[in-house]
Amino acid sequence: SAVISQKPSRDICQRGTSLTIQCQVDSQVTMMFWYRQQPGQSLTLIATANQGSEATYESGFVIDKFPISRPNLTFSTLTVSNMSPEDSSIYLCSVGFGTNQPQHFGDGTRLSIL
Amino acid sequence: GQQVMQIPQYQHVQEGEDFTTYCNSSTTLSNIQWYKQRPGGHPVFLIQLVKSGEVKKQKRLTFQFGEAKKNSSLHITATQTTDVGTYFCAGAATNKLIFGTGTLLAVQP
């Protein structure tokens, strides 16, 4: 399966700042996704990153807060903007070959906001 | 909206005991997938079930997909300490994968 590198692995940020998380895959993939996982909770899909076009956001998530880029088939970024303590979470990127197909996850970014 | 619930939320077993987690969807699924997340780790894909009534085995793990394609189960025979983690089912429907609430398995040696 694809090797997925996610950076940074963790960060502690100040309230009101923004952080960009990078996801790099070692091979071209059709689909890239961004999830949020609160400690001890399930995974919630933030958006599907579309290559060359705007991401598709899930209910409750907006582009102004979570801008996403996907310039090619192996790379995507998620920015968490104007952070507040409620944004403290694990952010995961995943890849797959279809919206209903198995996904492979990066190691995640553990984000804490003070 | 579509929901995928799992029970139990948490289970603690003695090593060697069996374990089962159940997954129920509010809607009919095109397929169901199972993932394992070790403490501090990321979810790892285990298996995908597509057909109604399908049963698949991976060593001590047995996965079932219900006849109505709305429920599934994962059974582990003779648990080992390496089985510790959270098991998530993920239901595929309407071009989206919805992760279940998860079952945390603790195994006491």
Side-chain angles (χ1 to χ4, degrees):
Chain A
S1 60
V3 175
I4 304 164
S5 300
Q6 192 173 332
K7 291 192 286 190
S9 59
R10 61 179 68 242
D11 208 337
I12 300 172
C13 300
Q14 294 294 323
R15 188 192 301 250
T17 63
S18 298
L19 177 75
T20 295
I21 302 168
Q22 298 181 0
C23 184
Q24 177 76 55
V25 192
D26 69 342
S27 58
Q28 292 186 344
V29 290
T30 310
M31 311 294 295
M32 295 183 78
F33 307 92
W34 288 97
Y35 287 85
R36 184 170 70 184
Q37 185 177 31
Q38 308 278 12
Q41 302 296 313
S42 184
L43 288 80
T44 301
L45 181 64
I46 297 172
T48 301
N50 300 311
Q51 192 253 332
S53 65
E54 192 172 290
T56 304
Y57 289 85
E58 297 300 310
S59 176
F61 297 96
V62 296
I63 188 171
D64 289 347
K65 176 67 176 177
F66 298 101
I68 287 170
S69 78
R70 189 176 174 193
N72 55 52
L73 292 175
T74 63
F75 185 76
S76 178
T77 66
L78 167 74
T79 299
V80 186
S81 303
N82 188 25
M83 289 183 286
S84 66
E86 293 71 37
D87 295 319
S88 296
S89 191
I90 299 170
Y91 293 86
L92 293 148
C93 75
S94 72
V95 303
F97 290 96
T99 51
N100 287 357
Q101 296 307 305
Q103 296 180 17
H104 300 278
F105 287 82
D107 288 341
T109 297
R110 286 153 181 78
L111 182 58
S112 298
I113 291 90
L114 302 178
Chain B
Q2 181 188 358
Q3 291 186 324
V4 180
M5 306 297 293
Q6 282 181 254
I7 55 171
Q9 192 174 1
Y10 170 79
Q11 183 136 22
H12 179 213
V13 300
Q14 295 282 344
E15 190 173 21
E17 292 181 338
D18 293 354
F19 160 77
T20 304
T21 174
Y22 300 91
C23 175
N24 289 284
S25 169
S26 58
T27 59
T28 303
L29 304 170
S30 60
N31 71 70
I32 192 139
Q33 301 163 26
W34 285 91
Y35 294 77
K36 177 183 178 182
Q37 186 174 25
R38 293 181 184 273
H42 59 271
V44 174
F45 171 72
L46 295 177
I47 207 160
Q48 177 179 261
L49 304 169
V50 179
K51 299 176 184 176
S52 170
E54 188 170 14
V55 178
K56 286 188 176 180
K57 292 190 175 185
Q58 285 182 349
K59 298 182 180 178
R60 295 177 295 103
L61 279 60
T62 302
F63 304 84
Q64 287 189 305
F65 199 10
E67 294 290 340
K69 300 184 76 172
K70 294 180 72 173
N71 56 72
S72 181
S73 65
L74 158 60
H75 180 82
I76 302 178
T77 303
T79 54
Q80 301 175 357
T81 54
T82 53
D83 296 325
V84 164
T86 301
Y87 292 85
F88 291 101
C89 63
T94 59
N95 285 327
K96 191 186 299 186
L97 201 59
I98 303 295
F99 279 80
T101 48
T103 296
L104 173 60
L105 173 64
V107 181
Q108 183 166 352

